[in-house]
Amino acid sequence: MAAEGRAPTAGEYIVHHLTHLQNHKPSGPFDMTVLNYDSLFYSILLGVLGCFLLWKAARKATSGVPGRFQAAVEILVEMVDSQAKGIVHNAQSRKLVAPLALVVFVWIFLMNAMDLLPVDFLPVVGELMGVHYQRVVPTADLSITMGLSAGVLLVCLVYNVKIKGLGGWVHELFSAPFGAHPALWIPNFLMQMIEFVAKTVSHGMRLFGNMYAGELIFLLIALMGGAWASVGVGTGIGLAIGHIIAGSVWAIFHLIIITLQAFVFMMLTLVYIGQAHDAH
C-alpha cells in the first residue's frame, strides 16, 4: 500500500481501499473481461445468507405467537406483498414477482450493510491472508449494481412478451407512444429503446452513487481518526473525539440510507415489472 517503512499518505490510503481484487487491470473504461473477485465473493455470500435467513424463517414459522425473528420477517413479507399488490395487478405474476422483490430487498440491504463494518477490519484480515486489495461493499461497485438493474430489465422483457405476446409487444414498440402511423414507427422505436436504457442505467447508477459516496465518507472519517498521531496533543485529541462523533453520527444516518436504497431499488423493480404488464 505504501513504500516499506513509510506510512501511506491520505491519497494512497483512499486509493488502496478503493482498489478491487481483480483478475487483471482494465485496459480501458469499459473492459468486460475484468472480474472483481471481491465484489463477486461478497455478493454471492450475502445472497446465500439472505436466502438462508428467509428459508429459516419459513421453516420455523408457527401459527402461535411468533418470535422476534419470525415477526420481523412476517412484517417485511407483508410490506413487500402489499406493495406488489398495489403495483402489479396480475395475481398470477405476483406469485413470482413478490418473492423476487423480497429477495431483492433483503439481498441489497445486506450488501449495503457491509458499509457499516469498520473500513479497515476486513482489509486488514485480508492482508494477513495475503490478499492485498479488497472492497467489501458490493453495491459500491458499478458492475454489480448495473448487473442487478440489467437482471430487472431482463425480467421486464420476459413479462412484456409473456403478457402481450411477441407480436403484441413488437407492435407496441413501433406504435407507442406517438401512434401507429408508419411515419412514426422509427421515432416510436427509438423512444422505446431510450426508455429501456434510461431506466436500466438510472436504476443501477442511483444505488451505486449513494453507496460509493457513503463508502468514501467512511474512509475520510477513518483518516480523521488516524491523523491524531501525527499532530500535536491538543489537536490530536480533538481529531480523535471528532472521529468518534462523526463516525457514530454518519453510521446512524447511513443505516437509514442503506435501508432506503434497498427499498427504492425494490420499488423501482416492482414499478418496471408492473409497467411491462400495461398496454399502451
Side-chain angles (χ1 to χ4, degrees):
M1 184 167 65
E4 187 175 352
R6 178 179 67 84
T9 65
E12 291 171 340
Y13 176 84
I14 291 177
V15 169
H16 180 269
H17 278 71
L18 295 181
T19 302
H20 285 285
L21 178 64
Q22 300 173 322
N23 57 335
H24 63 82
K25 294 296 181 182
S27 58
F30 189 70
D31 187 351
M32 296 189 67
T33 65
V34 175
L35 295 177
N36 294 335
Y37 292 132
D38 43 11
S39 295
L40 287 172
F41 173 78
Y42 284 111
S43 60
I44 294 172
L45 176 65
L46 294 170
V48 172
L49 175 61
C51 291
F52 171 75
L53 292 175
L54 294 174
W55 171 81
K56 184 177 180 180
R59 181 171 175 267
K60 293 189 174 182
T62 61
S63 58
V65 178
R68 293 180 181 178
F69 177 63
Q70 180 183 335
V73 173
E74 287 180 356
I75 291 173
L76 180 60
V77 170
E78 290 175 4
M79 182 272 292
V80 174
D81 188 58
S82 64
Q83 296 296 335
K85 287 180 180 178
I87 297 173
V88 181
H89 304 297
N90 187 309
Q92 186 65 29
S93 295
R94 285 200 304 271
K95 293 181 180 180
L96 174 65
V97 174
L100 173 65
L102 176 64
V103 171
V104 165
F105 177 83
V106 172
W107 190 18
I108 292 180
F109 176 81
L110 290 175
M111 289 192 288
N112 291 351
M114 294 293 286
D115 217 2
L116 297 176
L117 294 175
V119 295
D120 287 313
F121 175 62
L122 289 177
V124 167
V125 173
E127 289 276 357
L128 296 176
M129 299 174 63
V131 179
H132 301 294
Y133 295 100
Q134 183 180 190
R135 291 183 66 181
V136 303
V137 186
T139 44
D141 180 358
L142 184 59
S143 62
I144 294 295
T145 59
M146 290 305 299
L148 291 170
S149 62
V152 173
L153 173 63
L154 181 60
V155 173
C156 291
L157 296 179
V158 169
Y159 272 106
N160 268 299
V161 175
K162 180 180 179 180
I163 299 299
K164 304 165 187 174
L166 180 60
W169 181 51
V170 172
H171 178 267
E172 182 179 276
L173 288 177
F174 288 93
S175 62
F178 302 123
H181 193 281
L184 299 173
W185 287 354
I186 293 179
N188 284 330
F189 181 77
L190 291 177
M191 287 297 296
Q192 291 276 357
M193 293 301 103
I194 291 172
E195 180 182 355
F196 280 123
V197 172
K199 289 192 298 187
T200 302
V201 172
S202 64
H203 201 188
M205 287 292 292
R206 181 183 293 105
L207 177 60
F208 162 73
N210 281 277
M211 298 314 301
Y212 185 87
E215 184 181 31
L216 189 57
I217 290 175
F218 274 122
L219 290 174
L220 295 175
I221 293 174
L223 283 173
M224 182 189 300
W228 71 270
S230 61
V231 297
V233 177
T235 305
I237 294 175
L239 286 172
I241 295 174
H243 163 74
I244 295 173
I245 295 175
S248 301
V249 171
W250 180 246
I252 294 171
F253 179 67
H254 202 58
L255 181 60
I256 300 173
I257 293 176
I258 65 177
T259 306
L260 181 61
Q261 288 304 313
F263 179 77
V264 168
F265 197 97
M266 178 204 74
M267 287 298 296
L268 288 175
T269 299
L270 289 174
V271 168
Y272 295 157
I273 295 177
Q275 289 177 344
H277 287 70
D278 298 332
H280 292 281

